[in-house]
Amino acid sequence: AAAAAAAAAAASCLHLGETRERLLGGEPLRTPAPLDGRLCSGDARLGPGSLRRLRDLEHLRASLPHPKDRGVGVVLRVGDAAAVAAAAAAAAAPSRAASSARMALKLDMDPTEMAQLLEEGPAASQGPFGKGGALEWLANILDKAAEDTLTLLHAADDKAVQDSSKNLQVLWSRAVLAKNGELKDSVAFEMLPESTRGTVTAGLFDGTLPFLEWVAARTAFLNEGTEAFLSSPACAGGAKCQVVVLGAGFDTRSVRYQRDGLRFFEVDLPGTIEAKRVVHARYAAAAGPETRLPTLVGWDLNECEHASLLDHLEAEHGFERGPPTLFISEAVMFYVNPAAIAALYDDLFTYGKQAGEAQYSFTDSMRPFVQGPFSDEATRFFGREGVDLLCHTARWSGAVQFAHAVARTPAAALARGSRAAGCSLLEHVSPLVEAPVTSYAPERAWRPPDAPASFNNSWYAVAFSSELQDAAPYATRLFGEPLALTRHPAGGAVRCAGPDSLAAGYVVVEHQGLVWVWRGDPASADHRMLPTHPAPEATHAVETILDYGCDWKYIVENNLDTPHLYWLHDGSIPPIESLGCNRANIGSIGLRFFADDVGVGHIGKTSKKVTKVVRYDAPNVVRHGGVSGFSEEFNIVPLGPHRTRVLLRQRFPKGPILSTLLRVPGTAPVLQYLVRNWNYQIGLEDYCVMQGQAHNIDDFGAPNWRATSSGDDLIVRFWRWVAAAREADGATSEYFVRWDGSRVDEAAAAAAAQPLSAAAAPSHADASLTTEEEMSSLAERYTAAVPVAQYPPINHALYSRQQTLANLFERVGDAMPQVGVASAVGAAGGLVTAAGAATHANSEGMSSLLVAAADLANGVFTLPA
C-alpha cells in the first residue's frame, strides 16, 4: 500500500501503482504496465520481471475460487498487526512447556512434582497406544483379544504361567517374528508349550506382524548393546561380567547369550518371576543339563523409592560391585512412579561412578527426566551423571528412548576391576554404535564445523529417482546452468553433465530416492554430507513436485514462516485444520529458536499442543516435522531466475494401522492422490503471496523486513546467510556462476534448453494433469526452457477445475465438510486411480466430467470476485 501511494505521487509510475491496486482489488488487467517507467522508491529502472509478475498475480488470483484466497493484500496487512499482538501475548504468558522441560532435567525433583508432571505431560507416556493416547481404545481391544487367545493356548499350562498373559504376549511375538525372519531368536519358540507351537509354524499369527515392529525394534537394539558389551576386553576370556535386566518379562536374552564368567540378573514382579521359573525349568529339561539359566529376582521396581535394588541384589543374589556391568531397561518404566525412577537411576549411575565400568542400554521411557525425542536433552541428562551417550533415537514424542551409554568410570575404579589397563569399555563400545546426532528433524547429515556460508561445496537434490527412466535423458537446470541426467541401463548408476560446450561433468549420487548433484570440486565431494533418514523403511513416503514462477529464496522464506500457516492457510486443508492452525488461534503460537548439528530452526507448540519443528538446512532445504514421526522435506531447486521447482517428500510413520492399511490394494494411490492435491492447494495459496512479495521487493525496492514479529528471526537469519554466501563466493548473484567462479553463458544456456512438446506428459503425475490446452495457456517462458513447468501452482488448470467442483459439493449441503481439494472429488479420483481405471482414455473422460461440473458450478453459483 505504501509503495502504491508513492507511485501515485509520480506520473512516471502512477500507472504501475494503479495497476497493482486494481489487481489486488480484484479487477482484471486490461492495459499493460509500462516497462520503461521509474520506481517511486528510488532511481532503479523498472525490471523486465514486473509485467510478468503483474500478469501472474492476476492469473493466480482468478484461479483461486475461495474469496479468502484472493484477498492477498488484506491477509498481509492484518497478518502483520496480529503477529505483533501474538508475540506480545506469547511474551506475557508463562511458558509451561519451558518450565516443564527445566523440571524434567533435575534428578532431585520433588516426588509430588514429578508425579504431577508425568500425569499432565504429553498425551501418553506409552505413545499413542498408551494411557490417554489417541489410540488407547484400540490398544485395549487388541490387548483383550491377545489375553483371551493366550488363555486358550495356555489352558493346560501351569497356573502361574496362565496369570502372566501380558508378558507372554512378548514371548509369542518374538517367536512369530523369528519364524518370519524378522528377528534372531531361536529360544522363544522353544519356550512355548509344545502342544501349541504348531500355531506358530502354521503361520496362524503372521497377520499380526505389522503390530510387532515395536517388539522387533527394541529387541534388535538391545541385542546390539549386549553384543557390544560382551565383545569388549572387559569381558574377554571368560572374565567376570554382569548383566542386570530390569523388567525382564519373558525375555530370552539371558539364555541366548549365556557363557562362562557371565551372570544375568533378571528383575521383574514376583508373580512374573514365578511364571518364568516354570518356563525356564521346562526349557532346561528339554535342552539338557548344560543349559545356563539367569538369576531370577522378584522385585517391584516401585520399591526402589525406599530401598536400593543393587543392595538387594548384592545381599541376597550374589551381585558384586566391581565387575563390568550392563544395565538393560526394556519397556518397564511406564509402570514405575517418578520418585522410584529417580532413586533407581541414582543407584545405577552411582555404580559407574564408584564401583566399576557400567553400560546402560535402554529402550524405555525416561520421563520425567528426559521428556522429548531429541538427543541433546538425553546427552545433557546422561552427562550430568558422568555418563557418555553413545547412541540415541526416540519414538512416540520421546515417550520411549533408545539409548546406549557408558559411564566415564574413574581410573581407580578400573584398577579395582578384573583389568587394570587396556581398552576401556567406553573406548570399545563407542565405534560399534552409531553416534547420536542432535537433529530436531529425522534427516541428519554431517556438517563441517564452522563451515562458512556458501552456495558451493553442497549437495543439491535435482530430481526424484522415480522421474528417471533407463537410458532416457532427463533435462533440468541448477542456478540457470543446464544439466542432463542419464541412468545407465546396465548398472543403474546415474550420470550428470552439462552440455559439452558449457560444463564439465558433475558428481551425482542417487540416495534415498533422490538424485543429488555435488556443486563443488568433484574431488572434494563428501558423502557424509548427504541428508540421510535413519529409518526410511519405517515410513511411507509421498512425493510431490511443485513449479513456481518466482525466486527460490521467497519459497524458503515462506516455508520458514510458521505464523503464516495460521493467517494465510487458515485451516484450508484437513491436516492444517487438525493442528489448530487457523486465525483464531494465532495467539497460541509459541516458538523457540534452536541450532542443532545440521541446521537452525524453530520448535514450538501448535494450539492443539502438538510439537512442530521447522529447520533450515543451508543452502536450499527446509524441513518440517515434530515428535510424532511425520516429517516433510522441501528441496527447493533454483532452476533459474524466477523459476523454481520444489521436490517435496512427506513421510508418514508406518505404525500398525497404516502398515495394515497399505496392504489393502488401492490405499497407497488414494493417499498419494489426496496428499498431492493438498500440497497443490497450499502451493496455490502461497504463490499469490510470493508473487506480491517479489513485486514489492524486486520492483518497488521495498526492504525484506522493516520490523520483525513472532517467528521472523529465522527468516532474518536466512536472508543474512544468503548475503554472507554471496560475499564469500565473490558473486553478486548465485545464478549463472559455477562453483569454480567461471560464468555460464546465458545465451548458450538458453539455446541448450531445448523446448519440449506441449503435449509432453509430466514425469511424476497422471497424464491428465497436462493437456495441449493447458500447456498452451502457460506463458512461453514456462514451456520454452526445460524443465517444463508442468505442475501447480504454475500449471493449475486441472486442479482449479477440481477445486471448483469441490466448492459445488460444499455449497450443495452443509453436511459436506470443508476440506478443500480433499473433497469427494479428490477421493473419487483417487479411488479411480487405485482401481487401475485411470487409463489415458478414462483420464480424458474424467477431465471432461470435471470441466462440465465446473461449468455447471460457475453457471449456477456466482463466485465472489
Side-chain angles (χ1 to χ4, degrees), residues 507-523:
V507 175
V508 59
V509 172
E510 196 169 9
H511 178 64
Q512 293 194 341
L514 286 165
V515 179
W516 298 86
V517 170
W518 175 257
R519 192 173 195 257
D521 184 351

Side-chain angles (χ1 to χ4, degrees), residues 553-854:
K553 294 184 286 294
Y554 295 117
I555 303 173
V556 172
E557 174 177 338
N558 174 270
N559 283 286
L560 293 178
D561 184 16
T562 296
H564 99 279
L565 290 173
Y566 292 72
W567 277 109
L568 177 60
H569 301 302
D570 193 24
S572 60
I573 63 172
I576 290 181
E577 178 62 30
S578 69
L579 294 174
C581 295
N582 53 59
R583 295 175 189 172
N585 294 328
I586 189 70
S588 61
I589 296 178
L591 299 173
R592 176 172 63 86
F593 173 81
F594 71 83
D596 61 19
D597 292 342
V598 186
V600 296
H602 280 152
I603 182 171
K605 296 281 189 180
T606 70
S607 63
K608 298 290 187 179
K609 306 304 179 187
V610 176
T611 299
K612 187 178 189 304
V613 172
V614 176
R615 191 179 76 194
Y616 169 55
D617 296 355
N620 67 320
V621 179
V622 176
R623 303 189 186 279
H624 294 172
V627 294
S628 65
F630 170 79
S631 65
E632 52 188 6
E633 57 179 309
F634 298 80
N635 290 282
I636 301 165
V637 187
L639 301 177
H642 314 299
R643 275 296 311 279
T644 304
R645 172 162 284 188
V646 175
L647 306 176
L648 168 59
R649 180 165 58 186
Q650 289 147 307
R651 293 188 182 275
F652 300 83
K654 279 186 182 176
I657 295 179
L658 180 58
S659 296
T660 302
L661 289 175
L662 289 173
R663 296 188 175 197
V664 179
T667 300
V670 168
L671 179 61
Q672 175 179 277
Y673 185 90
L674 295 179
V675 170
R676 282 183 176 176
N677 280 277
W678 284 335
N679 293 333
Y680 297 155
Q681 165 79 18
I682 294 300
L684 282 161
E685 293 174 357
D686 284 332
Y687 194 27
C688 285
V689 174
M690 294 176 193
Q691 289 288 336
Q693 184 182 17
H695 185 50
N696 280 331
I697 295 173
D698 297 344
D699 300 332
F700 283 127
N704 286 85
W705 69 89
R706 193 184 304 276
T708 59
S709 59
S710 178
D712 290 342
D713 58 316
L714 190 57
I715 295 172
V716 172
R717 284 175 179 266
F718 162 67
W719 283 105
R720 287 175 176 167
W721 184 94
V722 171
R726 287 176 174 172
E727 181 178 359
D729 294 343
T732 58
S733 171
E734 58 271 28
Y735 292 107
F736 302 110
V737 180
R738 299 190 185 93
W739 60 269
D740 59 1
S742 62
R743 299 284 305 179
V744 175
D745 186 280
E746 297 185 34
Q754 297 297 323
L756 300 181
S757 168
S763 60
H764 207 66
D766 192 322
S768 63
L769 182 64
T770 303
T771 65
E772 289 273 7
E773 179 184 357
E774 291 160 17
M775 291 297 290
S776 63
S777 69
L778 295 177
E780 183 180 352
R781 63 186 171 274
Y782 295 140
T783 58
V786 295
V788 173
Q790 297 168 314
Y791 305 98
I794 289 178
N795 186 12
H796 55 77
L798 178 62
Y799 174 83
S800 297
R801 291 197 296 270
Q802 292 174 338
Q803 181 70 348
T804 301
L805 187 58
N807 291 344
L808 170 62
F809 280 99
E810 290 172 7
R811 294 165 186 262
V812 167
D814 293 336
M816 177 69 70
Q818 187 173 13
V819 292
V821 75
S823 59
V825 181
L831 290 171
V832 170
T833 303
T839 60
H840 183 65
N842 286 344
S843 295
E844 289 183 347
M846 186 66 178
S847 297
S848 300
L849 174 63
L850 290 168
V851 171

Side-chain angles (χ1 to χ4, degrees), residues 75-238:
V75 171
L76 293 177
R77 288 194 292 270
V78 175
D80 289 342
V84 173
S95 175
R96 179 184 176 278
S99 61
S100 297
R102 286 193 296 271
M103 290 168 57
L105 294 175
K106 293 168 57 181
L107 191 60
D108 56 347
M109 290 171 57
D110 177 75
T112 304
E113 285 184 343
M114 288 190 291
Q116 182 180 13
L117 177 61
L118 192 62
E119 184 68 24
E120 297 180 357
S125 61
Q126 302 177 58
F129 294 94
K131 180 181 178 182
L135 301 177
E136 179 186 4
W137 60 273
L138 179 60
N140 292 336
I141 293 175
L142 296 176
D143 279 347
K144 178 61 177 172
E147 288 179 13
D148 292 344
T149 301
L150 290 174
T151 299
L152 179 62
L153 291 171
H154 289 267
D157 211 336
D158 185 274
K159 181 64 166 62
V161 179
Q162 293 178 10
D163 292 341
S164 299
S165 60
K166 191 170 186 65
N167 286 286
L168 286 171
Q169 290 181 36
V170 178
L171 180 64
W172 279 84
S173 298
R174 289 194 169 108
V176 173
L177 287 164
K179 178 258 179 185
N180 287 277
E182 302 290 334
L183 197 66
K184 293 181 179 180
D185 189 340
S186 60
V187 176
F189 180 80
E190 299 298 328
M191 285 190 176
L192 301 178
E194 187 173 359
S195 61
T196 62
R197 295 174 190 172
T199 59
V200 175
T201 57
L204 297 184
F205 298 113
D206 288 357
T208 64
L209 282 173
F211 295 86
L212 305 183
E213 188 275 336
W214 150 239
V215 175
R218 80 193 201 199
T219 302
F221 187 84
L222 293 177
N223 286 349
E224 175 188 61
T226 302
E227 291 166 5
F229 174 76
L230 295 179
S231 65
S232 69
C235 298

Side-chain angles (χ1 to χ4, degrees), residues 364-659:
D364 216 329
S365 169
M366 293 183 66
R367 290 175 174 167
F369 306 103
V370 179
Q371 289 279 74
F374 308 118
S375 296
D376 55 346
E377 183 183 2
T379 298
R380 289 194 300 269
F381 170 73
F382 280 107
R384 285 196 301 271
E385 303 306 318
V387 178
D388 283 349
L389 181 64
L390 305 182
C391 181
H392 177 264
T393 59
R395 290 192 171 207
W396 301 325
S397 306
V400 176
Q401 309 287 335
F402 282 46
H404 294 315
V406 175
R408 297 189 292 269
T409 305
L414 283 174
R416 289 196 303 269
S418 60
R419 192 178 40 85
C423 177
S424 69
L425 181 63
L426 179 60
E427 293 168 333
H428 173 78
V429 176
S430 296
L432 298 181
V433 296
E434 183 178 351
V437 175
T438 300
S439 175
Y440 280 47
E443 288 79 9
R444 64 275 314 267
W446 179 79
R447 296 279 178 162
D450 302 321
S454 174
F455 292 106
N456 302 323
N457 299 317
S458 295
W459 291 101
Y460 290 84
V462 294
F464 285 117
S465 296
S466 55
E467 295 182 78
L468 273 63
Q469 305 298 323
D470 287 352
Y474 178 89
T476 186
R477 288 180 288 164
L478 182 63
F479 292 117
E481 180 178 10
L483 300 174
L485 303 174
T486 305
R487 185 191 299 281
H488 195 279
V494 179
R495 292 177 296 178
C496 175
D500 293 340
S501 60
L502 295 177
Y506 282 87
V507 175
V508 59
V509 172
E510 196 169 9
H511 178 64
Q512 293 194 341
L514 286 165
V515 179
W516 298 86
V517 170
W518 175 257
R519 192 173 195 257
D521 184 351
S524 66
D526 194 335
H527 290 64
R528 295 176 301 170
M529 295 173 63
L530 284 167
T532 301
H533 192 286
E537 69 282 353
T539 67
H540 175 74
V542 175
E543 300 171 349
T544 305
I545 297 178
L546 301 169
D547 279 321
Y548 291 87
C550 62
D551 191 79
W552 69 278
K553 294 184 286 294
Y554 295 117
I555 303 173
V556 172
E557 174 177 338
N558 174 270
N559 283 286
L560 293 178
D561 184 16
T562 296
H564 99 279
L565 290 173
Y566 292 72
W567 277 109
L568 177 60
H569 301 302
D570 193 24
S572 60
I573 63 172
I576 290 181
E577 178 62 30
S578 69
L579 294 174
C581 295
N582 53 59
R583 295 175 189 172
N585 294 328
I586 189 70
S588 61
I589 296 178
L591 299 173
R592 176 172 63 86
F593 173 81
F594 71 83
D596 61 19
D597 292 342
V598 186
V600 296
H602 280 152
I603 182 171
K605 296 281 189 180
T606 70
S607 63
K608 298 290 187 179
K609 306 304 179 187
V610 176
T611 299
K612 187 178 189 304
V613 172
V614 176
R615 191 179 76 194
Y616 169 55
D617 296 355
N620 67 320
V621 179
V622 176
R623 303 189 186 279
H624 294 172
V627 294
S628 65
F630 170 79
S631 65
E632 52 188 6
E633 57 179 309
F634 298 80
N635 290 282
I636 301 165
V637 187
L639 301 177
H642 314 299
R643 275 296 311 279
T644 304
R645 172 162 284 188
V646 175
L647 306 176
L648 168 59
R649 180 165 58 186
Q650 289 147 307
R651 293 188 182 275
F652 300 83
K654 279 186 182 176
I657 295 179
L658 180 58
S659 296

